[in-house]
Amino acid sequence: MDDRPGRRRARLPLLLALSAALLPACKSDPAPAGAGPASTASAAAGAKAAAPADEATAFSKSAKALGYLPAETLALAVTADPGDLARRLGRDAVVKAIPELYAKAATEVREHTGTDLLDPDRWPDIGVDPHGPAGTFFLGARDSGGFFFSYLAEEKLVGMLKKVGGDRVEVRTVGDAKLVGPPRRDPVLVLRGGVGFIVVGRRLWAEAWAHEIAGMTPERSLAQDAEFLQATKALRFGRDASGFVATQRIGDFVIDAISRQEGAAVLDRFIEAARQRGDEESVAEFMERKERKGRARDRIAAGAIKAIIIGGMGPLTLGARVEDDVVRVRLDMGLGEGALPRRVLLAGGEASPLAALAGPDHLFLLGGHVNVDGAIGLIRSVALAVGEADDLERDRRRFEEEMGFDPEAGLLRALDGKVGFALVEQDPKAQDEKRLGMVAYGGVANAAALDKSLAAMAEHRELKGLFSAVPGGYRLSPPDWHAVEIRTGARLTITTDLAALERKTTDGMAAALSALLTQPGLSALGALDIARVVKLTMLRGGDWEPPMPELQSDTPEAQAALKAWQAIQDELTANRKAREASAAEIVDRMISPLGHLAAAARLTEHGLEIEGGFFMRQSTVPQAMASLAREAAAMEAMQREANRKSEDLYRRLGEARERLQAADGPTKAIRDEAIIDDDDGKDAPAPRDEPPSDDKME
């Protein structure tokens, strides 16, 4: 790609126009007041609200687009009405949160396209339908895929693109479709029957797929693909968005990528189509790909792993619905008898205690009802497929000889498979590893075997002082962390906070989230507290400081110059710390409305049903989106001002360095181009005043 500034500027308006015409950005309703956290007492109401209702899905309104996509489509996500979806997500709230930035962006887009495409009410000005189906698709080979949208007037759309792109925009007629864009370039825009497809892919692949879409016949399309129809016919949830993933075809795509060999069926079609239109360059490209033998050994190994991991799995369908304080999602996958989830999971019984044990201060939790025999069998199957079965068995025997018990029989099979783990924020004031704690549990199937194994560990010479028996159980005492308490009985519990064992309710957790995680009959469940994780992991500047110069002389002039240099360095340090503090405050405000990503899975006679979503914390979805936009703008403004100060301080620091060198001569710590020897005798640059580049915000 040509990255010269002039070329980038010429391409920017076209990309802006296409992006603005595709991204849903419609107006929102006024945001209602935020809903605070609720206790288990109100969970029943949340559970009732969470029950999926029959509704028209986005797929049911996208038949025309599906009729133009090839049956080989690997994945697809569709919204039936991008304008309405963006309204639910809070477009108006975002605009009101950043009025100046929005006005500036809208003006730039208007200058290039003649209308404000950031306002979906203006999309019809260029012929795009803000309330027609739109989506994204993935075709696989050579990173091919793209986006589609609905249009109202082909002439208006092509006219706008020619205004933006000038002579670079060519229009070619292929059957009843038009291909818009430079030939043999990425992307290619296909206009056909009221649906526009922006097709991307490496080199000639975008052009080839564009011709496929332009000439697609109903019997070869995704709309009539038996697997797609079977998977989506029962989908009853997904008013705002629907999705489809061809699990087995995705697996084949991965195998092709690993072995560097594309499937022959698609290549044969591409070759024939290229020959018919006289495109010899494409014929040569696709013939070369077809004749490539690939790496057979890698293909065999990848095929074995595929059979283990996704064998027996049907396509995955997805439906999404935006509600006041949650983006709710449901996924369904058909499963054959030997499919992985059926081998390693069991249908749940009573509700999991994990949400109560974890409490409201967890970072993430993961649990479920595991088929212990199936999980052990999976480990052995994978080890066999990758040629490490002998190593696995050797390690098991070595452990048994060393510890005095079989890890499978004495630990894994001593549990009944009802397990869970949570990482929690135990001490928010701590600044080291002790800020975090944990709690885990497992149902006990063989108490005698488990107690025997734990007792053997407590008596082992290598674990003295680290693992020991205590009244009521055992204790693990890592040197730099909390003591880990282990209690046995009907349930094995492992925790850094014994108070967790007393929690029986989910008080402090949002009602909808609690209802999701405490349902009976779950096979697996998980949750991630987005805000808490971001706060604990966000990047901050280090404590790097340039070394204090070592003066060669003790003259008053040198001392005064050194003092001046240090004063400026102190200002730089203060500026850095102020910037870090401001960034922390902004990030805290930005993410505080965000809550949990959570999901709960259930094995059924048909397959696997997963329900979950993105649950806000004391906020509605529009309010959370507005907070993200507003604080992102505040972060950008703060960084710009901090960088301006830093640049001025670095300029002054350089001037102070020159004065110091003039007063003292080359010092031991500050030299412009001096070279010193490191411990190995190799040349290395001398230490400089300027901190590492990642300390500066671009």
Side-chain angles (χ1 to χ4, degrees), residues 294-305:
R295 299 182 295 195
R297 180 177 179 181
D298 290 344
R299 191 172 188 85
I300 292 172
I305 295 295

PDB file of all heavy atoms in Angstrom, residues 294-305:
ATOM      1  N   GLY A 294       1.090 -27.786   0.284  1.00  0.00           N
ATOM      2  CA  GLY A 294       0.900 -27.515   1.701  1.00  0.00           C
ATOM      3  C   GLY A 294       1.801 -28.385   2.569  1.00  0.00           C
ATOM      4  O   GLY A 294       2.655 -29.138   2.078  1.00  0.00           O
ATOM      5  N   ARG A 295       1.577 -28.314   3.849  1.00  0.00           N
ATOM      6  CA  ARG A 295       2.391 -29.076   4.796  1.00  0.00           C
ATOM      7  C   ARG A 295       1.527 -30.216   5.318  1.00  0.00           C
ATOM      8  O   ARG A 295       0.730 -30.051   6.251  1.00  0.00           O
ATOM      9  CB  ARG A 295       2.876 -28.161   5.907  1.00  0.00           C
ATOM     10  CG  ARG A 295       3.752 -27.017   5.372  1.00  0.00           C
ATOM     11  CD  ARG A 295       4.285 -26.114   6.440  1.00  0.00           C
ATOM     12  NE  ARG A 295       3.232 -25.386   7.126  1.00  0.00           N
ATOM     13  CZ  ARG A 295       3.457 -24.324   7.903  1.00  0.00           C
ATOM     14  NH1 ARG A 295       4.691 -23.891   8.075  1.00  0.00           N
ATOM     15  NH2 ARG A 295       2.461 -23.711   8.502  1.00  0.00           N
ATOM     16  N   ALA A 296       1.681 -31.385   4.714  1.00  0.00           N
ATOM     17  CA  ALA A 296       0.801 -32.514   5.001  1.00  0.00           C
ATOM     18  C   ALA A 296       0.834 -32.913   6.475  1.00  0.00           C
ATOM     19  O   ALA A 296      -0.193 -33.233   7.070  1.00  0.00           O
ATOM     20  CB  ALA A 296       1.201 -33.701   4.124  1.00  0.00           C
ATOM     21  N   ARG A 297       2.011 -32.895   7.071  1.00  0.00           N
ATOM     22  CA  ARG A 297       2.125 -33.312   8.472  1.00  0.00           C
ATOM     23  C   ARG A 297       1.323 -32.380   9.374  1.00  0.00           C
ATOM     24  O   ARG A 297       0.610 -32.830  10.274  1.00  0.00           O
ATOM     25  CB  ARG A 297       3.599 -33.321   8.888  1.00  0.00           C
ATOM     26  CG  ARG A 297       3.818 -33.755  10.327  1.00  0.00           C
ATOM     27  CD  ARG A 297       5.298 -33.819  10.642  1.00  0.00           C
ATOM     28  NE  ARG A 297       5.517 -34.210  12.020  1.00  0.00           N
ATOM     29  CZ  ARG A 297       6.713 -34.337  12.579  1.00  0.00           C
ATOM     30  NH1 ARG A 297       7.804 -34.123  11.854  1.00  0.00           N
ATOM     31  NH2 ARG A 297       6.824 -34.695  13.846  1.00  0.00           N
ATOM     32  N   ASP A 298       1.440 -31.066   9.114  1.00  0.00           N
ATOM     33  CA  ASP A 298       0.677 -30.106   9.916  1.00  0.00           C
ATOM     34  C   ASP A 298      -0.820 -30.303   9.698  1.00  0.00           C
ATOM     35  O   ASP A 298      -1.617 -30.165  10.627  1.00  0.00           O
ATOM     36  CB  ASP A 298       1.069 -28.674   9.542  1.00  0.00           C
ATOM     37  CG  ASP A 298       2.477 -28.326   9.995  1.00  0.00           C
ATOM     38  OD1 ASP A 298       3.013 -29.051  10.842  1.00  0.00           O
ATOM     39  OD2 ASP A 298       3.024 -27.328   9.492  1.00  0.00           O
ATOM     40  N   ARG A 299      -1.206 -30.617   8.467  1.00  0.00           N
ATOM     41  CA  ARG A 299      -2.623 -30.791   8.158  1.00  0.00           C
ATOM     42  C   ARG A 299      -3.191 -32.001   8.898  1.00  0.00           C
ATOM     43  O   ARG A 299      -4.307 -31.964   9.415  1.00  0.00           O
ATOM     44  CB  ARG A 299      -2.812 -30.943   6.657  1.00  0.00           C
ATOM     45  CG  ARG A 299      -4.269 -30.853   6.225  1.00  0.00           C
ATOM     46  CD  ARG A 299      -4.407 -30.819   4.717  1.00  0.00           C
ATOM     47  NE  ARG A 299      -5.789 -30.550   4.336  1.00  0.00           N
ATOM     48  CZ  ARG A 299      -6.307 -29.333   4.235  1.00  0.00           C
ATOM     49  NH1 ARG A 299      -5.552 -28.281   4.466  1.00  0.00           N
ATOM     50  NH2 ARG A 299      -7.575 -29.174   3.903  1.00  0.00           N
ATOM     51  N   ILE A 300      -2.439 -33.089   8.961  1.00  0.00           N
ATOM     52  CA  ILE A 300      -2.900 -34.291   9.657  1.00  0.00           C
ATOM     53  C   ILE A 300      -3.055 -34.013  11.150  1.00  0.00           C
ATOM     54  O   ILE A 300      -4.065 -34.374  11.765  1.00  0.00           O
ATOM     55  CB  ILE A 300      -1.920 -35.456   9.411  1.00  0.00           C
ATOM     56  CG1 ILE A 300      -1.979 -35.882   7.936  1.00  0.00           C
ATOM     57  CG2 ILE A 300      -2.244 -36.629  10.323  1.00  0.00           C
ATOM     58  CD1 ILE A 300      -0.912 -36.884   7.547  1.00  0.00           C
ATOM     59  N   ALA A 301      -2.050 -33.352  11.749  1.00  0.00           N
ATOM     60  CA  ALA A 301      -2.119 -33.046  13.184  1.00  0.00           C
ATOM     61  C   ALA A 301      -3.273 -32.097  13.480  1.00  0.00           C
ATOM     62  O   ALA A 301      -4.024 -32.290  14.440  1.00  0.00           O
ATOM     63  CB  ALA A 301      -0.797 -32.435  13.645  1.00  0.00           C
ATOM     64  N   ALA A 302      -3.429 -31.063  12.635  1.00  0.00           N
ATOM     65  CA  ALA A 302      -4.513 -30.113  12.855  1.00  0.00           C
ATOM     66  C   ALA A 302      -5.863 -30.789  12.690  1.00  0.00           C
ATOM     67  O   ALA A 302      -6.822 -30.491  13.423  1.00  0.00           O
ATOM     68  CB  ALA A 302      -4.385 -28.939  11.883  1.00  0.00           C
ATOM     69  N   GLY A 303      -5.965 -31.729  11.735  1.00  0.00           N
ATOM     70  CA  GLY A 303      -7.212 -32.451  11.548  1.00  0.00           C
ATOM     71  C   GLY A 303      -7.565 -33.293  12.755  1.00  0.00           C
ATOM     72  O   GLY A 303      -8.739 -33.389  13.141  1.00  0.00           O
ATOM     73  N   ALA A 304      -6.565 -33.901  13.381  1.00  0.00           N
ATOM     74  CA  ALA A 304      -6.821 -34.701  14.580  1.00  0.00           C
ATOM     75  C   ALA A 304      -7.298 -33.826  15.730  1.00  0.00           C
ATOM     76  O   ALA A 304      -8.229 -34.184  16.465  1.00  0.00           O
ATOM     77  CB  ALA A 304      -5.545 -35.453  14.973  1.00  0.00           C
ATOM     78  N   ILE A 305      -6.677 -32.666  15.886  1.00  0.00           N
ATOM     79  CA  ILE A 305      -7.098 -31.742  16.945  1.00  0.00           C
ATOM     80  C   ILE A 305      -8.512 -31.242  16.669  1.00  0.00           C
ATOM     81  O   ILE A 305      -9.337 -31.124  17.581  1.00  0.00           O
ATOM     82  CB  ILE A 305      -6.120 -30.561  17.050  1.00  0.00           C
ATOM     83  CG1 ILE A 305      -4.742 -31.046  17.492  1.00  0.00           C
ATOM     84  CG2 ILE A 305      -6.650 -29.519  18.022  1.00  0.00           C
ATOM     85  CD1 ILE A 305      -4.698 -31.622  18.877  1.00  0.00           C
TER      86      ILE A 305
END
